[in-house]
Amino acid sequence: MNKKIIYYFFIINFFSLYTFAFARSDTMKIDQRILDFLMSTGIFNMGIGSYIMISIGCLLIFLGIVKEYEPLLLIPIGTGCIICNAPVIGDVNPKEMIAYLYTAGIDKPLYPLLIFLGVGALTDFGPLIANPKTALLGAAAQFGIFFTLIGAIVLGFNLKEASSIGIIGGADGPTTIFLTAKLAPDLLGATAVAAYSYMALVPIIQPPIIKLLTTEEERGVVMKQLKPVSKRAKILFPVCVIILCILLVPSAVPLIGMLMFGNLIREAGVVRRLSDVAQNALINIVTIFLGICIGYKMQAEYFLRLETIKILILGVIAFSIGTASGVILAKIMAKLSRDPINPLIGSAGVSAVPMAARVSQKVAQEANPSSHILMHAMGPNVSGVIGSAVAAGVLLSLFG
Amino acid sequence: MNKKIIYYFFIINFFSLYTFAFARSDTMKIDQRILDFLMSTGIFNMGIGSYIMISIGCLLIFLGIVKEYEPLLLIPIGTGCIICNAPVIGDVNPKEMIAYLYTAGIDKPLYPLLIFLGVGALTDFGPLIANPKTALLGAAAQFGIFFTLIGAIVLGFNLKEASSIGIIGGADGPTTIFLTAKLAPDLLGATAVAAYSYMALVPIIQPPIIKLLTTEEERGVVMKQLKPVSKRAKILFPVCVIILCILLVPSAVPLIGMLMFGNLIREAGVVRRLSDVAQNALINIVTIFLGICIGYKMQAEYFLRLETIKILILGVIAFSIGTASGVILAKIMAKLSRDPINPLIGSAGVSAVPMAARVSQKVAQEANPSSHILMHAMGPNVSGVIGSAVAAGVLLSLFG
Amino acid sequence: MNKKIIYYFFIINFFSLYTFAFARSDTMKIDQRILDFLMSTGIFNMGIGSYIMISIGCLLIFLGIVKEYEPLLLIPIGTGCIICNAPVIGDVNPKEMIAYLYTAGIDKPLYPLLIFLGVGALTDFGPLIANPKTALLGAAAQFGIFFTLIGAIVLGFNLKEASSIGIIGGADGPTTIFLTAKLAPDLLGATAVAAYSYMALVPIIQPPIIKLLTTEEERGVVMKQLKPVSKRAKILFPVCVIILCILLVPSAVPLIGMLMFGNLIREAGVVRRLSDVAQNALINIVTIFLGICIGYKMQAEYFLRLETIKILILGVIAFSIGTASGVILAKIMAKLSRDPINPLIGSAGVSAVPMAARVSQKVAQEANPSSHILMHAMGPNVSGVIGSAVAAGVLLSLFG
Amino acid sequence: MLKSGLVSMLIGMSVVFIFIIIMIFLMFILGLIDKRFPPEKTDEIVIQKTISLPGKDANNQKEKIAAITAALIHYRNRIK
Amino acid sequence: MLKSGLVSMLIGMSVVFIFIIIMIFLMFILGLIDKRFPPEKTDEIVIQKTISLPGKDANNQKEKIAAITAALIHYRNRIK
Amino acid sequence: MLKSGLVSMLIGMSVVFIFIIIMIFLMFILGLIDKRFPPEKTDEIVIQKTISLPGKDANNQKEKIAAITAALIHYRNRIK
Ligand code: NA
Ligand code: NA
Ligand code: NA
């Protein structure tokens, strides 16, 4: 059949072209060309550091997917880490796009602020407004930041670096990224990974510290139900906090301003469209960008240093001290207060919203199944977000 | 118990560290440090202007939430206004992020054009195509723009400023912002606030003017039902208008082009994905950015000037003249037309979609409960959007 | 009535102002002004080329809406083409905004990569993993790319241009745009239009070639049902492919990396938010931007050249050769394989997901109604996406 | 400068009216096409559309759910 | 440098506490306003809200559909 | 230049095939892992999934609502 002819004709043609290419190219040093190409593969251009970093990227993805440690961040960070450890060969830079996104949104820290906008739109400050004094616990837990800052100085970091490391203790990813991007961008990979990893590890880090500092009886305290909060109070709250921040700590205005702007559009009730987009499309898009951009600072030359180990150790200390400070102030408040206070709500002051509040709830229920303190713990929990944003502002104005 | 020991150990430690810090820092002029910090608070760095602007920001938020005056814009504008009046101290600029968003989307007016894309995707030109001659009313209402432009020149503004002020009479936020950003960016705060405020005040501004120019009988005229419009006509319309705009007023192409592109993806029917995203995620994200960026031009030095008062007065004149011009042309058309025309549809020509059309409907029903002119008023209403975009193009080509 | 007086007063006023304007302006050479304005219309400033390009833009919109040829791209491209052929007059550039979006997302090819992210999140690699050897067909089909590259060189294009033209045969819009933007941006309009048009024309281009190379009996072969693939394999696959790409072809990392990142967040299962936004809001927004930006390279001076015709001809050759190569390798594999292989799955190797796979299915069913090869064709189909991304990487590293 | 303002009014209003008048002319032509070649009746039956083809956008979904909910309550009452 | 660290702790913790204490003060005032001018009962009846006013956002929709589905199953069982 | 084109074909097709062949090799390994360690049956029961776990994305919601609506009509008919 003539079909077969066409078919064979095609194959013969293909092979003759391929052979011809071989033949012709032979005359122009084909070995050289193939050698050139081999020299442009990754294998021949990557140091051991890149392989280690790719493994770390895989580990982060594994932690995100299998252990469900902050997967929204760790999966993009891990992927970004893998991609950004691809070698640059000649003029071809495989991380060009990520570098571009980095310049656009981390150098001037746009992404963490837009995420804070979304966090604000997702946060209900009602439990805090219903029981204002629990806000103190969110202040106390920031002690971990400054304690760690001093520790970092002792370990040889300079003031800017030490501030960026201390802020890990604030247990807020966007705040950590914002401050590190401003003060010590080369540490961004380490501090961001530490912040998100430890936030995911809160259920492992906090309970032993809490149990060390409290008796079973204290942990089982039942708290009075929260009073309802009016829509008006919820709307006025974010506006008041922005203005307070402008008057007291202007350097914290970017963080507090965006957080409270997000909360205002949430509570306003008349701009559902904006609140929805801040809580969904916008925060999700920015999370993707932010994650892969953090990978940019996980290139071997930035990340594979002794400093990274130090930062990881200091980070866990920051979390621990923060937790302890919160619990201790809660115990003191419990003694001074007329209404019963369960000291476990203190540990939620580190923020790590809403994980730390859930830990408080879980530990309380272990001690006394009829103690439901989740909503009470949400007060210090969200206050801790404000507290560490203020702390970041202070550090920025001192060392920025 | 040894728990208590740990607990007290911790407190003692904390206080000793704090005291130690006090003691050590004392030697290095702690008073100076605290003084330095106080000097970096907002209170000691803000002029009276900033306080006034913060109050104005609060007022805009109040108007948005409580009075529901264009809340989608006024809440972000108000918040942006508050944030942007935070003081810059040393190298720490709390409005850095907003400045960045401003450069990205207002300097080259990207945001207003993307909003126009969404507006196009949200607009049904059906009522206009069904009754083409009502488009004339959307042209007549633009007289307010040029009348006010002359008024602004008389009040001492230069040609570029006067154009930006006149365009307020177009009653289209994005058009106003686009033109002002191009011709007189320092006035952006004032013209944008005027445009959106007066759009929200249309139910208060228009009825007295309408009633002054029409008799109750005229206002109660019942119009014939609109004929249906085919999908084909709705698809061809935006393409024709873009081409017409290119041939006649190329300087209006950005506005008309994006508006009609949005409308095309709406009517095409085969690109639902694009139409949805233009109507929702994209326009909402851009509205947030646009709003806070307008706040950037509401810093005291730009906004607290006599000019702002003049602009607000000229703006309301622009709206009034536009309304009157529309009504008068509608009356003339009513006399010339065979089919009955309710002159109230003329006032909708100022655009302020869909508020002005609803005002027409409401005033008509007050005069005659069986007069339903909402859909008839939508014709001039959307034509007014096109009309003021063309006017903006002319002004841009004359004075840009 | 005094109402009538106000009304007439207003009309008289309007006309007197208009007349006054005429009178005053007369003294300052009104003819000159009107002439100036006429000179600023599009009609007096557009060459024949612009009119032709506007017609081509309309044609693309027509093809998108009426013929449903890749409407998601062709409608924005067509509109962008129309808008970008508006004339620049003096300082007023109607395509300024599109130029800005172009710089932001095509010069550093951000948009095609973000679209690849969404494509990854929309793609199920299950059918490929279930039958790995079909991936070879996705490699074979890339022969069209290199054959056409040589053809383009013969027709006088330089190496960079020839690469951009050859890649049309990859039948992947984002890959074509990525490579062209890097190597020969001035050809972007032509190559992008060719890529998307021919992808839409796959149901017309492929069947005759397929039928020429196969007998009816071959086309009716029934294949065994695919075995199920575990979630674990689907999660590991994208990570493995990224690492393979880093090791072998680092220059393909941007494309392969984003594609596989999108697929990873799809399969991870724990980041639904990110997967959703990549598949919807993000890809849709970027598609709008990408489309109108391609219009930017369809200005008459770039597009109306003999080269464009050559590119269109070379493009269809590329598709045809790719299809034939896939079918022929499939026939060879069918002979060597124990399990029955329908050679029609070879033509799906050009990618053009999922159109080419549907064509295979349709042609197979014509020959034998009980042959369901859609899922089997999806394997080569998605493998072809990877194949042409790798080919693009090679071309970039050779000529970039 | 006042002169320039007056001229801009003159030109501006003229251009706006010319633009709108040509647009009206185009719309009349579209109307004529519609009369000459009436579109085929491709619209889906309204009821079917209301019940089974909810829009992707949130507002329609809202209406849709409201409608379904109303129906649900109706049948619940029928059962009681 | 250690000194600077100690000072930053001093200032930082002080500012954080001052900020939070003023914030608490503001929240108490908000509480007093609520007591003095209790808001009118403008909230929609909860049940009606649950059934007929689904939020636009996906999560609420999800809950909504789950609720409706549960009701549906309930009535299905009643019918059987 | 034609030579360069021929070489690029040679290298390009080789690299594409090498890449794909290694990828096939990886996929076979994934397949072996699947055979060796068959995944536990963690998938939710399909019916339950269909009824009570609607996706966030619009398309799924659409299907979901369509499914619920269908059920609704079914029960309505049963009542009649
Ligand atoms: Na915190
Ligand atoms: Na208007
Ligand atoms: Na391909």
Side-chain angles (χ1 to χ4, degrees), chain B residues 138 142 169-172 349-352 381 384-389:
Chain B
Q142 309 315 320
D172 278 304
V350 295
S351 43
N381 210 204
V385 178
I386 298 172
S388 26

Side-chain angles (χ1 to χ4, degrees), chain A residues 104 182 211 214 247 273 328, chain B residues 3 10 42-43 96 100 284:
Chain A
K182 286 267 191 190
K211 287 181 184 164
T214 53
L247 297 182
R273 286 182 142 248
I328 289 168
Chain B
K3 279 210 178 164
F10 200 98
I43 307 171
E96 188 186 31
Y100 179 53
N284 294 340

Side-chain angles (χ1 to χ4, degrees), chain A residues 103-105 107-110 113-114 117 143 147 150 178 182 210-216 219 235 239 242-243 245-251 253-254 257-258 260-261 264-265 268 270-278 281-282 285 320-321 324-325 327-328 331-332 335 394 396-400, chain B residues 1-4 6-8 10-11 13-15 17-18 21 33 37 40-46 51 54 58 61 64-66 68 71-73 75-77 79-80 82-89 91-98 100-101 122 279-285 287-289 292:
Chain A
T103 312
D107 269 350
K108 338 223 154 191
L110 184 64
L113 297 177
L114 291 179
L117 179 77
F143 184 59
F147 184 92
I150 292 170
F178 176 82
K182 286 267 191 190
I210 294 171
K211 287 181 184 164
L212 195 69
L213 294 168
T214 53
T215 63
E216 176 134 9
R219 294 199 290 275
I235 292 173
V239 178
I242 294 180
I243 295 174
C245 184
I246 291 175
L247 297 182
L248 208 59
V249 200
S251 50
V253 163
M258 291 312 279
M260 291 301 158
F261 177 34
L264 179 64
I265 58 179
V270 290
V271 288
R272 193 86 186 231
R273 286 182 142 248
L274 303 187
S275 168
D276 281 349
V277 88
L282 184 56
I285 291 173
S320 307
I321 301 282
S325 308
V327 172
I328 289 168
K331 286 187 72 164
I332 296 172
K335 289 213 171 117
V394 172
L396 193 60
S397 86
L398 289 176
F399 309 126
Chain B
M1 291 198 290
N2 76 329
K3 279 210 178 164
K4 245 182 183 151
I6 290 163
Y7 166 55
Y8 285 120
F10 200 98
I11 292 183
N13 234 327
F14 174 87
F15 279 105
L17 188 59
Y18 213 87
R33 289 285 181 154
F37 183 80
S40 83
T41 61
I43 307 171
F44 288 86
N45 283 281
M46 282 162 64
Y51 288 101
I54 289 175
C58 291
I61 293 173
I65 295 178
V66 180
E68 297 204 24
L72 289 170
L73 268 298
I75 294 174
I77 291 176
T79 313
I82 294 175
I83 290 175
C84 289
N85 280 286
V88 180
I89 293 154
D91 288 343
V92 183
N93 180 356
K95 49 209 156 199
E96 188 186 31
M97 176 200 135
I98 297 181
Y100 179 53
L101 288 176
L122 285 161
Q279 285 175 36
N280 293 293
L282 184 56
I283 195 173
N284 294 340
I285 291 173
T287 301
I288 290 177
F289 289 179
I292 53 176

Side-chain angles (χ1 to χ4, degrees), chain A residues 14 44 55 77 134 192 198 205 210 217 287 313 336 342 357 394:
Chain A
F14 173 87
F44 289 87
S55 313
I77 291 176
T134 60
Y198 293 142
I205 296 173
I210 294 171
E217 198 189 354
T287 300
I313 293 169
L336 301 176
N342 187 321
V394 172

